Amino acid sequence: MKEIHILLAGNPNVGKTTLFNSLCGVHQHTGNYPGVTVEIKTGKRQMNDHSIIVSDLPGTYSLSAFTPDEQVARDALLTSGPDAVVQIIDATNIERNLFLTTQLMEIGLPMIIALNMCDLAEEQGITIDADCLEKNLKIPVVRIVARKGEGIEELIKTIIQVSTHKTPAVHRAIEYPHSVTSHISEIGNYLSAHASLLGSLSPYYAAIRLMEGDEHLEKMLHEKGLTIPFIDTSDSAERDGIAEDILLARYKTSEEITTCSVKCTMGRVMPGDLIDQVLTHRLFGIPIFLSCMWFAFQLTFSASNPFLVGIEYIFGYFTDRMNGVDMDPFVRSFLSDGVIGGVGSVLVFVPSIFVLFLLLSILEDTGYLARAAFVMDRLMHSVGLHGRSFIPFLIGFGCNVPAIMATRTLQSRADRIITIITIPFMSCTARLPVYVLFAGVFFGAAAGNVIFFLYVLGIAVAILSALIFRRLVFRDEPSPFIMELPPYRKPSGFAAAVHMWFKGREYLKRAGLIIFGGVIVVWVLATLPAGVEYGSADSLAGIIGQVFQPVFAPLGFNWQLVVGLIFGFIAKEVVVGSLGTLYGGEEMLESSLAADPTLHPVIALAYMVFVLLYLPCVAALGVIRQEMSNWKWTGIAIGWGILVAYVFAFIILHVGSLVIGA
Amino acid sequence: MNNTTYPHQYLYGWTGIVTLTTCIAGIISILEGAGIGTGLFIPDIPGGCILLLIAALFATAVIKGRTDRPGWISFSYIGALLLVVFAGCAILVETGHFLTLIMEGEEAHLLTIVSSSFIWAAILAIPLLIGVSRLLYGCSCGGDCCE
């Protein structure tokens, strides 16, 4: 069987990952906003005698990489030596996409253009002459609709045909001005004599990159002892002039090709443009976003509540049945207090997680979340955060781990560090069970409002922290925010349901592994030493809780809550699991909390705020360490989180107690 | 609205009526939340504020239309769309509350499902949404529209 290695390249948000999923039959996360993919994902597709290995690259507008994710894409294109490159082009915006094509063509690799979203283009009155496009580029063009799986078989056949072609790829040449071509041929000839140092790069292409001012390549050649004699580093104006000429030639080529192959038969005012007048309005934009989020959290709590009650009933039924069976008390305690009490108290919140993911998927699918990032930019920029940071923040509502990785789309290191430090303040779904539990027990009908408040507080604390770090540590201005707004789309119920299922399944897996492990440890600690009353202050869990409890006494937390916080470091869901184990099972948890004389609504609110802010989970900390590449900033992220959590919980407890007179 | 012809003038007038009703529904919700009310609607201060925000969107549409500035269709469309979507959410929220009470064996009234002020405000917004969305897509296709 012949193996073919292809790369999927293209601008951000043109449907690369959707095509990747269609090609490989997998379900990588896709989103209707740029920057979803930040690292290379690889999959496989078998067809006849061929095994196609597909690598999905992060989106990039050009090969002059500015951000870490763009560097990943560029390095893969220039050094991995694929059999073919498939460039996915958004059919509704061909001219802008062709700029990258002009760069990819010069690498000299076999190429295929996958013209995606042809259905949307037709709806918008855009007619594309694919034959003309193919003839002009000298690259095979295949029309596809990746979302619906249309044109995929034809694309695979073309990939096999192009990749197995023995002759070298010859694409359309860009017509550069004479001043540029003379420089290129001089440098190209010189590099041809040192071709071994260039790896898989062609001398001609390397010459163009050098003339464009590719510092990365220049540095690489310099390290190999090669200095280009024709590049006068002292005359930056001349070099800038040549780079500009190259840029203009590329734009001219893109325009020429578009003019001949694309016809627009409708007016250019799109419904999306008219809708954006309101949704991105400077006064109404943020209130509309907050309103949508408020309803999302109301629904998360209320719509999932009947399911929650139903699951509680099922667990209660099993506990009752088990109590009726004659068995060893130790085993009974393990099953009822440890397994059902611990894991069960986490599993009852699965419906809430599913509802939240469904709603976020729908908002994302419509293209509204990208608008939310846009409207937040003014606010974000004023406090020293990059507007694009809001996208990782939004991802952080699901899970902080991919959100931290999504900061690779940020160009400046200072912007990245600030965003990474502030992402753990976003309420990930692992914290939702804590909110649903405590808000439900202590705030009744106002629970939805309390949960909304906690989410907004997370954003507010993130912004406040960014402001402090920008003023005290990174005094430079955040880089300007440029983001392409994706088109509005009707949300697909199926896609939203699939997204919800995959995200929810992750939660269930965590419940089965990490959370189960965590609550078993808590159960063992609550049982030992032998002979003590289960979960009492004399058990190991009680002793540990009481050792640390004085630290949390100013916040009003009892030792059970402290144990929850300690084990919540493993994963935030373990907070509820631990409390379920210590308070005598999930069936008893709510009534036990409500009846606990050491707790009242203000302490509950302070506890939820502390859980929101105090520490990222172990997995998130690992990724912070990986992305920061040092322990210093990881330590600062931990310390800052604990400090902020303590201060906010303290303020809420004491101000709240004054207000209600507790 | 000098260059606005049938049926735009009716939609424009309807936008004015929906502005008023949405504003009244918002104020009633807030008053109910503050304990000063009739008991007809569910007390909901944040919901009332959202209704006032939507009323402000409609009011902007009315103001823009009066001075022939572009955008009244966009504001009217988004206002109506938000109102209808939020009313749908309000029905789901109240249904969730209702079912929870039933499952917990507590007293529950079926009428509470439709007692959110969003629902009553949205009834008037449905015809507006249908009319304005046709106008909006007509605009984008280069049709006869008042922008």
Side-chain angles (χ1 to χ4, degrees), chain A residues 181-231:
Chain A
T181 47
S182 60
H183 276 92
I184 292 171
S185 44
E186 267 182 85
I187 298 171
N189 291 338
Y190 176 76
L191 289 175
S192 298
H194 304 85
S196 59
L197 297 177
L198 296 173
S200 57
L201 285 186
S202 77
Y204 175 77
Y205 179 68
I208 297 171
R209 300 290 311 142
L210 289 169
M211 294 315 301
E212 277 192 291
D214 187 334
E215 290 172 6
H216 179 76
L217 180 62
E218 206 172 323
K219 195 177 160 197
M220 187 192 87
L221 292 176
H222 191 71
E223 279 168 5
K224 290 180 178 176
L226 194 66
T227 308
I228 314 296
F230 311 98
I231 296 179

Side-chain angles (χ1 to χ4, degrees), chain A residues 302-604:
Chain A
S302 307
S304 62
N305 222 14
F307 297 101
L308 194 144
V309 174
I311 295 173
E312 273 180 346
Y313 175 80
I314 293 167
F315 276 113
Y317 172 79
F318 280 115
T319 310
D320 290 345
R321 287 294 297 266
M322 205 172 54
N323 287 338
V325 178
D326 187 32
M327 65 171 81
D328 184 82
F330 189 75
V331 177
R332 187 196 306 279
S333 170
F334 173 75
L335 291 174
S336 79
D337 299 324
V339 179
I340 296 178
V343 180
S345 53
V346 176
L347 284 182
V348 292
F349 298 103
V350 167
S352 309
I353 306 283
F354 273 73
V355 172
L356 183 63
F357 274 125
L358 180 71
L359 296 171
L360 288 179
S361 303
I362 291 170
L363 283 176
E364 185 189 310
D365 235 17
T366 56
Y368 179 62
L369 285 191
R371 268 79 187 175
F374 182 81
V375 296
M376 293 298 282
D377 177 51
R378 190 188 299 270
L379 176 66
M380 304 281 272
H381 212 83
S382 65
V383 297
L385 263 174
H386 193 275
R388 196 176 257 190
S389 303
F390 198 66
I391 293 283
F393 280 3
L394 288 173
I395 298 171
F397 284 147
C399 177
N400 287 177
V401 172
I404 291 162
M405 291 172 76
T407 59
R408 291 179 191 177
T409 56
L410 298 170
Q411 191 177 335
S412 133
R413 181 165 162 76
D415 291 341
R416 284 194 75 207
I417 290 174
I418 294 175
T419 310
I420 287 174
I421 288 175
T422 49
I423 279 174
F425 298 135
M426 295 302 110
S427 276
C428 63
T429 44
R431 289 169 234 206
L432 190 62
V434 184
Y435 304 160
V436 175
L437 173 68
F438 280 87
V441 169
F442 291 98
F443 294 92
N449 292 339
V450 171
I451 296 171
F452 174 70
F453 162 76
L454 289 163
Y455 275 77
V456 173
L457 180 71
I459 298 175
V461 171
I463 287 173
L464 184 71
S465 301
L467 186 65
I468 292 168
F469 277 96
R470 183 63 77 177
R471 291 277 158 83
L472 299 181
V473 186
F474 304 102
R475 288 164 194 268
D476 57 327
E477 279 289 306
S479 44
F481 176 43
I482 301 167
M483 192 181 84
E484 184 189 347
L485 291 179
Y488 287 104
R489 289 179 196 148
K490 275 184 195 156
S492 149
F494 177 74
V498 168
H499 186 211
M500 174 189 78
W501 166 245
F502 280 96
K503 286 286 180 185
R505 198 177 63 171
E506 285 304 309
Y507 181 82
L508 288 171
K509 275 186 192 167
R510 281 164 66 90
L513 297 168
I514 303 169
I515 302 165
F516 181 73
V519 295
I520 294 306
V521 170
V522 176
W523 175 80
V524 170
L525 292 174
T527 309
L528 296 175
V532 296
E533 191 190 338
Y534 172 78
S536 68
D538 297 327
S539 65
L540 281 180
I543 292 165
I544 293 170
Q546 286 173 85
V547 166
F548 288 99
Q549 200 271 337
V551 179
F552 295 96
L555 307 181
F557 302 164
N558 62 28
W559 69 262
Q560 288 97 330
L561 297 188
V562 173
V563 173
L565 289 178
I566 293 168
F567 288 96
F569 174 59
I570 302 167
K572 291 287 161 41
E573 300 94 327
V574 181
V575 173
V576 172
S578 305
L579 295 175
T581 309
L582 294 174
Y583 273 103
E586 64 81 29
E587 204 188 0
M588 299 283 291
L589 180 55
E590 290 185 13
S591 52
S592 303
L593 282 172
D596 190 331
T598 63
L599 300 178
H600 58 74
V602 182
I603 292 178

Side-chain angles (χ1 to χ4, degrees), chain A residues 129-182:
Chain A
D129 185 344
D131 293 335
C132 175
L133 195 62
E134 191 169 318
K135 210 183 290 176
N136 266 287
L137 291 167
K138 296 183 183 168
I139 298 170
V141 176
V142 183
R143 289 169 180 271
I144 61 164
V145 182
R147 269 209 308 174
K148 298 176 184 167
E150 290 174 15
I152 303 300
E153 291 298 313
E154 196 193 333
L155 178 65
I156 295 171
K157 283 178 194 163
T158 314
I159 288 169
I160 294 171
Q161 203 180 351
V162 169
S163 316
T164 50
H165 209 268
K166 299 293 173 202
T167 52
V170 180
H171 309 306
R172 175 190 171 128
I174 313 289
E175 288 171 21
Y176 295 117
H178 177 69
S179 56
V180 175
T181 47
S182 60

Side-chain angles (χ1 to χ4, degrees), chain A residues 32 84 141 204 211 242 261 264 321 341 590 611 615 655 657:
Chain A
N32 190 11
V141 176
Y204 175 77
M211 294 315 301
I242 294 171
S261 53
C264 190
R321 287 294 297 266
E590 290 185 13
V611 171
L615 263 184
V655 173
S657 299

